[in-house]
Structure formats: structure tokens, C-alpha cells
Amino acid sequence: MSRITAPFAGVSGVVEYQATADDGTPIDGPRVAIIARMHGNEPVGDGVLVRLASLIDHLKCGSIVAIRANERAASLDVRHTPDGTDMNRMWDRKTLASIRAMSSEQRSYEQARAAELSPILLACDAVLDLHSTSRPSEPFLVFRDDQRHATLARKLGVRRLVTGLHENSILDGGVASNVGIGPGRRSKRLGFTFEAGQHDAPGNAERAWHVTERLLAELGLIEGMSPPVTETGEVFEVVDRFRQMPANLEPYRFVGYEGGEPGGGRRGAPRQLHSFEDIEADEIVLRRGRTEVVRARGPFTMLMPAPTTAPGTDLYYVTQQRQGGLSEGVPRTDETARTEALAIERMLDLMADDEFERGSSWVAFDARRLFDLCGSIVARSLRLPPGHPHRQITVMGRGDAGGAEVERRFGHRYRQAMRAAVREGLPLERFQLLRGASLRWIEAMTSERMQALLSRRQARFDGQTPPVRLRVSVRQPHTASLLVAGNLDHALETGDMRHVRVALLVEAATVEPVGASARLRVQRTGIVSARREVVQAARALLRTLVREHRDQIRHGVLRDESVIDALRLDDDAIEWTSDGLRLSELRGALRRVQLRLWCDQLLGALPVPVVLPDEPSLGRWIARTMAQTGVLDPEAIRAMAVVKDGPGFVADPARIDAFYASVSEHGEIPALLTTPHLPPHAPAQPLFADQVDADELERWVGWKRFVRGVQVVPDTRGKDLDLAFTLDAIRSRLLNWFEAAHVDAADAPGEVMVVIAGDGLNPQRDRVDQVADIYEAHRRCLVDPNVAYLRIQHAQGTHLSWMRDFLAACRERPNGGAPLRLQLEAEHGATVNVVLVLVRDPAVTDPAPLHPLDGWTIEKCGVILADLERSATSAPLAWFTEVDANGVNQELLHFGRSHCEGLWLHGPPVAEATVDAFEEDLVGQIAGWIDHVRMWRRKSRSVPRDLEARSRWVAKRLGLYDARLARLLARHMDDERPALEAARGLWNGVPPWPGERGFVAPAPEAPIIPPAAPAR
């Protein structure tokens, strides 16, 4: 028998079916909630709720609670009510508490229903929420990533299994099937969400019914009526999401699928815009307006694309397939799981040791994989026994407080590992790059959380552990980060590299306006290696930074900070102290140093007030200023430079001057910039094998497989990726590319393009006889009117003598040929150089491309991280890929394209063939440097009097690598002429290099394409 209660608990739309004995006594058993219409336009659950009444005679124990959740939206056939929001984002503990704290008048309809239904759901032992999708999709089952859910999921007859939404904190507010629990937390309550397919797909209702019936049978409530199944499922883990823009901004739109707007970059069959489609690296997935595209950073499987989703909600989810584990459904005890994990960990350590000892390198292009690799490197060091010579960590980078959602999620395991390194007393040294660092990061690294961590370190080891060392760089560009595990000196002396790991990450940061502010997008690629060349390069860079830090302590920006002097150790490093007062003082000192540097940069970029009539204008100005100055903190730029002016704004240098005076003269930090902004904790993830239990084993193994999914390059050559560790090898590859481009363009005028984002040749490093071949090959492309040419010149890495020769070659190029485009880029240079060779895509016929690379296919890509010390002896590092019989590395192509497109969008480009305009931009840049050095002469007490010392001081402060230019700027400190006049005189006095001592490329003999009808 059974008893029916409707409405159950007095709540509309809720019916309970309770199993009872003949005398009406309830029969104990699980209480299971079946939910339909959580979204009003998803009717799949209606039929299930109707059919549940037929189970009355089969109910053996427990109860079934049938819930029609969003009745009002269902009556309107919309996802949620017009004044409401997504009802399936209101169910975690924090969100429910905030809803309960509202008055009834404040709640939307969906919030009111969540408040009514949550007590009912919280009293259940299992929840099944029935949904359908807006686009075609195979049915799939979403559940929490543990053994109980996995075992049961395999018996519900669904092939596609999806986890990770909860564990990776993908959704704000949680979902109804996880009611009452926070992201990553566990609960005895089972929770499943079943997506039956597209809203109106045939068979949806029947599939939903079979899943419901099997769940109730497996939980013992009814006799199974559908045939039992044990499905060998495919498991997908959701690792990220992509959200639609807010309501007041231009929205994203899907492109590149069959029947939709063209996309680009895809090499396989057109997409269908369905769930579980494989996305290729570098293909365009989204566009926004006419200028912004979103390309896939790496291959992934798309889940639930929603082209008509509301502003600010999820456009699609990024998933990665997991092999084994959940699909096998093998139950384990915690002890068994831990034993298995320890064996796997040990095996992977030995395999990695062998690979690195043989000279292999690991290369990755996915930000999550790179961060996780770094986390695994730190964890590997922690597993070495205490006292081992390589049980130590060194980090160089700008840092990230995890403020952006993606950065917070991707860097979580790495941050966990670093916290463990501090807590466990690992010898640790950090080189903090102030270029690119945000105030939020300075706040995070000196916060109460950090103090507590350092205090635990000291208490645990009774002060016997080495201090955490901090060094500061104001010069090193933020385009490269470094993680070193091990003692580099010991490894190079003994030749034993087995326990050494060097992770070198290259960062391409681009800035885009968002409303009245701007956001930072970062593309990353990286290499992990123990090759002698990489170890030597890392050691050389760290030694340079040690010297720079010592100079800053004694003569530079750190000299006048008393707390830094008080915390200075014997080797001039700063002790990262656990003393709360001292740590607070250190925070203030670092913030003062950063703000003074920022004032320098902003005053150089803002010589006169700029009127910004509205919020979009303000956002564009902030984005442009971030790109020009390297101040990657939009909130600080607005606070330091912008004042409200009626309906608009004014960017005012006088406001910056006031900040400068407050910080430099009085040591005061304006209150506007002292509000703590620390990221929330992300859910804990298993990092070490001895932390793994039965429920976490599969996720941990999946993570290990993901980390091991890097591209392993034995020696220097991989399947579709090559590495180079010498200047000769790099020049040889580029020489071949330039010669081939020149030859191919003769057969197909206007159909080949060479793109270079970099510094150019270096007279202080490059001997004429050594670079003659590549110089001539590059010059042939430059003067060849059949080769389209795009140059993004890094200002700080430019040597003016080489630039004068380069512009002379540009002027030799005949008019009327393929486009010549030039742009000066002020911030990102001196470390990363990118070379692309492209061919025109005949399928693209847009006569007005949005970007110089639109309509072109990349055939060759090189990313060169050369001259970290900018010396003739420093070891370079390069990644190369090109289309050939071995295929091509799509991820490297994507990084190269993103880097060049981002830099191009950062600054005002010079129109085709206007070399004179580019030269004027260069002279203007020199004038800006002159203004900077004169301002320092007036405001800084640390400017040396000796000309040579002053020249070195100027080079370091501006990040210049042309010693002659730095010397001329040092002389101009005392010049009274207008800066632009002085800059023009300086430029006119620069001799070309190699000039008459060098070589002249022969004029091209190939035909010139007719200007009136460029080839497509």
C-alpha cells in the first residue's frame, strides 16, 4: 500500500508517495526526490511525474517526492520568469542562506520557490533532476565524483557520464541535485542530473522514465520493471566554462558550425554545435562584434552550447574525457585506493626521472596543464627526503591572486602545492617581478593567510627550517615565469640532473576593454626540462636577478625602505617573515615601490589630460594604458589617474602627481588602494598519493593522466614540434623559412605573409659574419613586394642602429605590392619573439578583414625565448612547428597567432607603406623616454652622477637593451630642449648597422602584383 500527500508540506507542485504497511504505518526506506521543470521550457519531466503515480502498487519502502519546480515559468514556456533568474543556480548552502535572509518582497519567484523547496530536498536521501538541452545532445548523466555515485550511475543505462561541475567549482550557486552543500564538499545525499537530449527530441520522456525507474529500483523502493543494465560509459570531466557577456555589452556569438557564420582555423569537418563535439586547437569558436574572436587554446570536448543564453550566463562548458576508473566501477576501500595511488605516484616519478635523464623535455600549451605541471613539480620536491640536495624550490614570476575565475580554477593545485611547500619547511626562494604584478597579489603574498602559513612553518620546525627568501625585480619583463626544483649549481657541477626540474613558462598577455574597465587575457606555453642548456639558462637568469635585487637594495627603489633593510639576510634577500607587524610593514613597502613605479609609467603615457565622455571610452582608455605601460591592474589605474567629470571622466596627470607625492614624500598609501581583495578558496583537490581515498582515487588518477598528457620531445625533435637550444639552430630554421617565403611568393604574389613580433638584431651581441645569411634572407622578404610583411617591433628590445637599417630597407620596397604593416609595441618586448609564415586562405573572401591575420593560414610558427640576459653567452630557447608530413602543432600555432593579434590590437597600427609614420612613432617613443629620465632627475634621489653609472641606471629603470641609447638618454637628463626635438636629434645621429660594413641584399627580380587587383 501507499499514501499520497498533495500538496506535500503545503507546497504547491509537490506530491509525496509514501510506502505503508496494511495498517497505514510508513515502511522505512530512502526518500527520493524526482524534479521536473526546474527550467520552465524543459518539459521532459512532466510525463515522468505523471507516470510516478503508476508505481503506487509497486512501492516497497521509503517515499518518492515528485516536484514540479518552476510552475510559473512552465506556464510561460520560458527558462525562468521575466523578473527572475536561473533557478538551478540557487542551491548551495551560501546561496540558500542569502535567500532565506531576504524578505518575501525582495525574492524573485525562483528564489521564493527555492526557499519553499529546499527543506523538502534537504530531507531527501537522493535527488534526481530531469532536464533537456537547447541544442542537440546525446543523453548524459551529471553527478558528483565519488564511488557511490559512480557505481549507481553505471546501472542507470546512460552512456555519457559527466563529473567535475561540483568538484571544480564550475557553477555559481550550485544545482538542485547538490542541494545544501558547497563546491567540492561531500554529502550522504545522492544527487543526479539527467539531461535527456534536445527539448523536443523524440524519446526524451521515455529515456527520462527509464533512468527514474532504474534509480528507484537500485535504491530498493520498487521492483525493477525496466531491464537492468551495466553501461560501460564514457566519462567526461568539466574543467571550465565560457560565459556570455553582461547585458550592457556586445554579446558573443557562435561561429564556425554548419549553417552558421563562418569561423576559421578548423581542419576537420564542420561542427554541428552539438554537445560532445571535439573542438580543435586554434579554431574560432566565438566572435564578438567585428573585432574580437575566441579561439580554442587547446583541443577539448564541448558540452551544452547555448547560443541563445541570457547575458552573463554560460555559453558552453569545456570538458576532457577521462579514461578508465568511473567507467569500470570497481569498488575500493580507502586503504586499497591509497596503496594504488602510492604505487602509481612512485611509478610516474621513476618514469619522469628516466625521461629527464635521457634529455627529454615536456612541452604544454594549456594553462591548466601548465599550472598542474608546476604543482606536480613542487609535490615531487616535497617527496624527496629531508636533507636531499635537490629538496628546494625557486620561483620567478609576477604572481597572481587568483582573481579571475579561470586563473583561480586552473592555478588551484599549484597554489595548494606551494602552500604545502611553505608549511613543510621546504627551502624556498621567490623572485618577485613587479612588472605586471597587481596590488591584489602584493596583498595576498603579505596577508594574514600567508602570515599564518609562515607561522605554522616556524612552529612546526622550532625555527630550524631555512627562512623563505624574497627578491624583487623591477626590470625583468612579465612575459616569462620560472619554476626551479633542485639545486642548479649542484646539478651542473655533478652532472646529475635526475632530480632537477626547470619549468619555463611564456606568457602572452592581452588586454581588452569591458564596460568602464578592462580585463586581462593570458595565453601560456611552457617547457619543463632538465637539459643542461635549460638549466644553464635558468641559472644565468637567476644570477642576473640576484644582482639586480642587490642593486635595488643598495642604490635603487628598495634603498629607502627601512623594513626591507631590517629584514635583509646575509645574501641581501628579504626574509619573508612570519612576524605580523613586520609582514604588514613589508606589504606597505612593496606597495609603495609598486605605486612609485606605476606613477612613472602612467605619467609617461599621460602627458596631458584626456577627456573620456562615457564608460566605454573609459574602458578603452584603461585597456590601452595597461597595454602601453604594463600596469596590469585596471582598478589601480582608475584610482590613480581618473576623476569623475559630470556624466564622463577625465584621466588627469595631476591626480597621478598627487599620488606620487603622497607615496614618495610622505610614505602614505592612499586609502582608495588599501582595500584587501583576496580570492575565495577553491575546493581542495587531491595532490599527493597519501591524501587519496576511495572517492578521490579516480579524480586523482585522471589528474595524473592529464598532467602526463604533455608533449614529450626526445632530444630536440618531436612528432610535430621541434626545440632549439642554440642561436645557430634558431637562425638556421628562420633562414630556411625566409628563403622559402621569398621563393614561394615569386610563384604566388601576395599569397605569402611573414609576421615578426620581436626585437630585431642586436649589434652588441650579433657579429656581422655570423648573422649575414639570415640578415640577407630577411631583407629579401622585407623588400620583396610579393611578400606581405607585418612587423610588431618591441620598443624596449630595439637597437636603434639596427632599426635605422631596417627602415632604410622598408623604403627600398617598391610601392603597389603586397601590404607592408609596421607597429611599435612599447611593453612586451625583450624576452619573447614570435615568427609566423602564413599563406592566404582561398576560402576567405572578405574584402575588409578585421585583422591583418584574418584570412590567412599559419604554415610555420616559431616562439623564441632568447637572450634572457641579452648577452652573447646566454642560452636561447625556441619552439618550432611547420606543416609537413609529420603534421603541425595546432596549439603552438594558436599561441603564436594569439600573441601577434593581441599585440596588434594593443596599439595604433601604422597604415600600409607609411614608413615615415612609423618613424615618427619611434621618435615619439624616444621622446617619452626622455620625459621619463628628466622626471626621475627631478624626483628621484638615487640617480647616479657618473655618466656610465647613470647610463646603466637608466637602462635598468626603462628595461632598455641598447646601451648606446641608454647613454644618450642619460645625457639628455640635463638637456633643456623640448623632448620631441631632443629625440629627433638623437635619432638623426644614429648610424645604421651593419651599414657600409655589412651587406646589401639583391633587389627582387620576381614580378610585382598589380595594385588594382590583389590576388585572393
Side-chain angles (χ1 to χ4, degrees):
M1 297 180 63
S2 63
R3 180 170 58 234
I4 303 174
T5 306
F8 178 66
V11 179
S12 169
V14 182
V15 179
E16 184 193 47
Y17 303 95
Q18 171 72 61
T20 60
D22 291 342
D23 61 359
T25 304
I27 302 175
D28 289 340
R31 174 179 285 177
V32 181
I34 309 297
I35 306 175
R37 293 282 190 168
M38 180 63 67
H39 297 132
N41 62 339
E42 299 177 11
V44 64
D46 283 349
V48 173
L49 298 191
V50 171
R51 293 175 71 171
L52 283 175
S54 66
L55 296 178
I56 293 175
D57 295 334
H58 303 273
L59 196 57
K60 300 190 300 181
C61 65
S63 63
I64 303 170
V65 182
I67 302 174
R68 201 165 189 261
N70 201 331
E71 292 183 300
R72 187 175 297 176
S75 68
L76 300 172
D77 195 29
V78 293
R79 185 175 178 83
H80 56 76
T81 58
D83 297 328
T85 54
D86 189 341
M87 190 172 172
N88 207 27
R89 300 293 183 271
M90 300 179 179
W91 300 100
D92 69 8
R93 184 178 302 174
K94 181 178 177 181
T95 306
L96 287 173
S98 67
I99 290 174
R100 293 188 188 108
M102 295 178 181
S103 67
S104 57
E105 294 78 14
Q106 292 175 308
R107 294 172 182 163
S108 67
Y109 173 76
E110 281 79 10
Q111 289 171 328
R113 286 293 281 174
E116 285 184 319
L117 295 174
S118 57
I120 298 173
L121 295 177
L122 289 168
C124 291
D125 300 292
V127 176
L128 173 62
D129 192 11
L130 303 174
H131 289 258
S132 55
T133 59
S134 60
R135 295 289 301 177
S137 171
E138 282 194 46
F140 62 94
L141 190 70
V142 183
F143 52 91
R144 298 197 298 278
D145 201 352
D146 59 48
Q147 277 200 124
R148 291 174 64 230
H149 283 86
T151 302
L152 189 52
R154 295 177 65 251
K155 301 177 181 180
L156 301 185
V158 184
R159 185 167 69 93
R160 304 277 195 175
L161 307 177
V162 176
T163 70
L165 279 172
H166 180 72
E167 289 73 24
N168 294 324
S169 189
I170 301 297
L171 299 178
D172 299 323
V175 294
S177 56
N178 296 331
V179 59
I181 56 176
R185 302 292 183 181
R186 300 185 186 181
S187 170
K188 294 181 179 179
R189 186 184 312 105
L190 293 166
F192 297 91
T193 300
F194 178 60
E195 297 280 355
Q198 194 171 13
H199 298 325
D200 56 356
N204 272 356
E206 197 65 21
R207 284 190 290 267
W209 172 248
H210 286 311
V211 168
T212 303
E213 191 180 40
R214 287 170 179 143
L215 175 66
L216 296 174
E218 289 297 327
L219 294 177
L221 276 73
I222 63 171
E223 296 288 350
M225 292 174 285
S226 294
V229 294
T230 301
E231 184 72 51
T232 302
E234 297 179 65
V235 183
F236 295 82
E237 181 178 357
V238 182
V239 296
D240 196 16
R241 64 175 175 178
F242 199 100
R243 305 184 77 179
Q244 182 59 279
M245 295 297 287
N248 58 336
L249 298 176
E250 183 86 24
Y252 288 108
R253 61 191 186 277
F254 282 94
V255 298
Y257 61 95
E258 192 169 278
E261 182 181 341
R266 188 173 178 87
R267 295 177 181 256
R271 284 188 285 116
Q272 304 298 308
L273 200 57
H274 296 176
S275 282
F276 300 103
E277 283 191 305
D278 290 332
I279 307 301
E280 300 172 0
D282 199 46
E283 72 165 289
I284 297 176
V285 179
L286 303 169
R287 285 191 183 273
R288 189 164 75 94
R290 284 188 52 80
T291 59
E292 182 184 342
V293 299
V294 174
R295 292 178 178 270
R297 301 183 180 191
F300 69 90
T301 301
M302 181 182 287
L303 183 68
M304 296 181 70
T308 59
T309 192
T313 57
D314 301 330
L315 273 169
Y316 62 87
Y317 300 100
V318 176
T319 76
Q320 292 164 339
Q321 189 167 5
R322 251 175 29 193
Q323 307 296 332
L326 288 174
S327 60
E328 296 171 2
V330 179
R332 298 176 177 87
T333 64
D334 288 347
E335 183 179 357
T336 301
R338 197 164 294 115
T339 300
E340 185 175 341
L342 287 166
I344 292 171
E345 188 175 69
R346 178 61 178 157
M347 177 191 68
L348 293 178
D349 280 349
L350 292 172
M351 289 173 59
D353 290 347
D354 289 345
E355 286 180 353
F356 287 122
E357 193 173 39
R358 288 193 299 266
S360 296
S361 301
W362 293 357
V363 182
F365 305 89
D366 177 89
R368 177 175 172 238
R369 182 171 278 125
L370 284 168
F371 280 128
D372 282 356
L373 263 175
C374 291
S376 68
I377 289 171
V378 176
R380 171 76 174 96
S381 292
L382 281 165
R383 291 196 293 275
L384 294 175
H388 194 287
H390 293 298
R391 193 175 186 269
Q392 61 183 68
I393 292 291
T394 304
V395 181
M396 180 204 82
R398 67 183 177 92
D400 182 80
E405 179 184 354
V406 171
E407 298 291 319
R408 183 170 68 248
R409 187 177 300 126
F410 284 1
H412 179 54
R413 272 197 176 95
Y414 172 60
R415 287 191 291 274
Q416 278 185 233
M418 289 303 299
R419 286 195 291 268
V422 175
R423 187 175 58 247
E424 298 298 322
L426 203 69
L428 181 63
E429 185 165 25
R430 179 173 184 85
F431 289 82
Q432 177 60 47
L433 306 185
L434 290 184
R435 287 181 64 180
S438 67
L439 290 183
R440 286 183 306 199
W441 170 248
I442 293 175
E443 183 76 29
M445 66 187 288
T446 54
S447 65
E448 292 181 0
R449 291 184 194 173
M450 180 57 70
Q451 180 199 347
L453 201 59
L454 292 165
S455 296
R456 288 178 63 185
R457 174 189 179 100
Q458 293 298 315
R460 184 168 182 178
F461 296 95
D462 290 329
Q464 299 304 306
T465 185
V468 179
R469 287 173 150 75
L470 175 66
R471 301 181 195 267
V472 176
S473 168
V474 300
R475 184 187 186 203
Q476 177 66 25
H478 60 74
T479 45
S481 302
L482 187 68
L483 172 68
V484 174
N487 186 319
L488 299 185
D489 290 332
H490 181 78
L492 290 171
E493 289 169 6
T494 62
D496 182 6
M497 307 288 180
R498 191 172 183 81
H499 298 291
V500 171
R501 306 284 188 270
V502 174
L504 186 58
L505 275 61
V506 180
E507 177 181 287
T510 57
V511 186
E512 59 187 9
V514 179
S517 187
R519 65 180 173 184
L520 188 69
R521 282 192 171 179
V522 181
Q523 297 289 127
R524 291 184 176 90
T525 182
I527 181 171
V528 178
S529 183
R531 287 181 62 100
R532 177 171 288 271
E533 299 93 334
V534 178
V535 172
Q536 288 173 331
R539 184 175 68 169
L541 172 59
L542 293 176
R543 286 180 172 178
T544 299
L545 294 177
V546 167
R547 291 193 295 269
E548 184 200 344
H549 171 79
R550 184 182 300 119
D551 288 344
Q552 298 298 340
I553 285 273
R554 297 177 180 178
H555 312 293
V557 297
L558 303 178
R559 185 183 66 174
D560 298 327
E561 295 292 344
S562 59
V563 66
I564 289 179
D565 189 60
L567 294 173
R568 188 168 59 169
L569 300 168
D570 291 341
D571 60 355
D572 287 322
I574 303 167
E575 181 182 357
W576 207 338
T577 179
S578 60
D579 181 285
L581 178 60
R582 287 296 193 189
L583 194 62
S584 176
E585 292 173 345
L586 177 61
R587 179 190 314 136
L590 293 175
R591 288 167 67 90
R592 282 191 294 273
V593 170
Q594 184 72 302
L595 289 171
R596 284 196 293 266
L597 293 171
W598 283 355
C599 286
D600 285 350
Q601 295 297 101
L602 294 175
L603 284 171
L606 187 64
V608 297
V610 176
V611 177
L612 305 165
D614 50 32
E615 290 191 347
S617 300
L618 173 60
R620 289 191 293 272
W621 180 83
I622 290 176
R624 186 167 61 252
T625 302
M626 289 172 67
Q628 291 173 350
T629 64
V631 180
L632 304 183
D633 192 327
E635 297 167 354
I637 290 178
R638 179 166 178 169
M640 295 170 67
V642 178
V643 294
K644 194 77 172 70
D645 182 34
F649 308 86
V650 173
D652 190 353
R655 184 173 175 86
I656 304 173
D657 273 325
F659 266 85
Y660 198 102
S662 177
V663 173
S664 296
E665 298 173 16
H666 311 296
E668 297 176 359
I669 301 172
L672 202 58
L673 294 176
T674 57
T675 304
H677 190 142
L678 299 177
H681 283 302
Q685 305 284 0
L687 184 66
F688 302 96
D690 58 7
Q691 298 172 339
V692 171
D693 62 21
D695 284 339
E696 292 172 329
L697 176 64
E698 306 302 348
R699 186 161 72 254
W700 182 83
V701 171
W703 173 63
K704 285 291 188 180
R705 292 177 65 97
F706 176 72
V707 172
R708 287 286 301 181
V710 294
Q711 301 186 32
V712 179
V713 182
D715 194 25
T716 59
R717 183 171 294 275
K719 180 180 179 182
D720 56 8
L721 179 75
D722 296 340
L723 302 176
F725 299 98
T726 66
L727 283 172
D728 287 344
I730 293 170
R731 288 168 179 160
S732 176
R733 177 66 66 99
L734 296 181
L735 171 65
N736 292 335
W737 285 5
F738 293 151
E739 289 179 338
H742 175 63
V743 171
D744 293 344
D747 296 331
E751 301 294 309
V752 178
M753 178 160 61
V754 172
V755 176
I756 302 176
D759 305 328
L761 293 178
N762 180 334
Q764 294 170 234
R765 176 202 64 209
D766 299 317
R767 289 174 44 187
V768 170
D769 58 331
Q770 291 178 334
V771 299
D773 289 346
I774 192 171
Y775 171 91
E776 291 178 349
H778 170 260
R779 201 172 194 277
R780 277 192 289 271
C781 289
L782 181 60
V783 302
D784 185 350
N786 297 322
V787 178
Y789 186 94
L790 168 62
R791 181 98 197 180
I792 303 172
Q793 181 64 34
H794 296 329
Q796 291 168 309
T798 299
H799 281 256
L800 295 187
S801 293
W802 173 82
M803 177 52 66
R804 183 165 283 283
D805 181 82
F806 172 82
L807 292 181
C810 289
R811 290 189 169 94
E812 294 177 19
R813 183 184 176 100
N815 294 327
L820 167 69
R821 296 181 174 93
L822 306 173
Q823 178 178 284
L824 193 68
E825 198 278 322
E827 165 58 21
H828 288 79
T831 304
V832 180
N833 298 265
V834 174
V835 178
L836 308 176
V837 179
L838 308 92
V839 296
R840 196 181 295 275
D841 185 349
V844 179
T845 58
D846 186 354
L850 307 177
H851 186 280
L853 271 59
D854 281 354
W856 295 82
T857 299
I858 304 176
E859 295 283 316
K860 302 175 176 69
C861 175
V863 176
I864 302 132
L865 196 68
D867 307 326
L868 291 175
E869 278 201 298
R870 308 295 296 178
S871 69
T873 58
S874 61
L877 176 63
W879 296 251
F880 290 112
T881 189
E882 55 187 301
V883 176
D884 57 20
N886 293 322
V888 67
N889 189 287
Q890 290 290 126
E891 290 92 335
L892 185 58
L893 297 189
H894 173 67
F895 178 86
R897 182 194 296 272
S898 297
H899 182 75
C900 293
E901 287 183 344
L903 294 182
W904 179 264
L905 293 173
H906 273 170
V910 177
E912 295 178 18
T914 55
V915 181
D916 291 342
F918 177 82
E919 186 172 358
E920 287 301 307
D921 278 357
L922 179 60
V923 172
Q925 179 65 57
I926 297 171
W929 287 331
I930 291 174
D931 281 332
H932 264 84
V933 299
R934 290 176 178 175
M935 178 184 64
W936 292 335
R937 181 199 60 189
R938 295 191 304 270
K939 296 186 176 184
S940 177
R941 291 175 291 177
S942 61
V943 179
R945 293 185 178 182
D946 176 73
L947 179 62
E948 290 304 315
R950 180 182 287 189
S951 300
R952 292 190 295 271
W953 186 86
V954 166
K956 290 178 179 179
R957 288 291 295 269
L958 289 175
L960 300 178
Y961 295 91
D962 184 341
R964 185 176 185 275
L965 170 60
R967 189 176 299 109
L968 291 171
L969 291 174
R971 288 175 178 167
H972 279 288
M973 271 189 172
D974 301 315
D975 194 342
E976 298 299 329
R977 287 182 298 166
L980 192 59
E981 178 185 338
R984 201 176 308 281
L986 186 156
W987 168 248
N988 290 337
V990 172
W993 178 87
E996 296 180 358
R997 300 170 298 153
F999 21 78
V1000 177
E1005 300 178 358
I1008 300 174
I1009 61 173
R1016 301 297 298 178

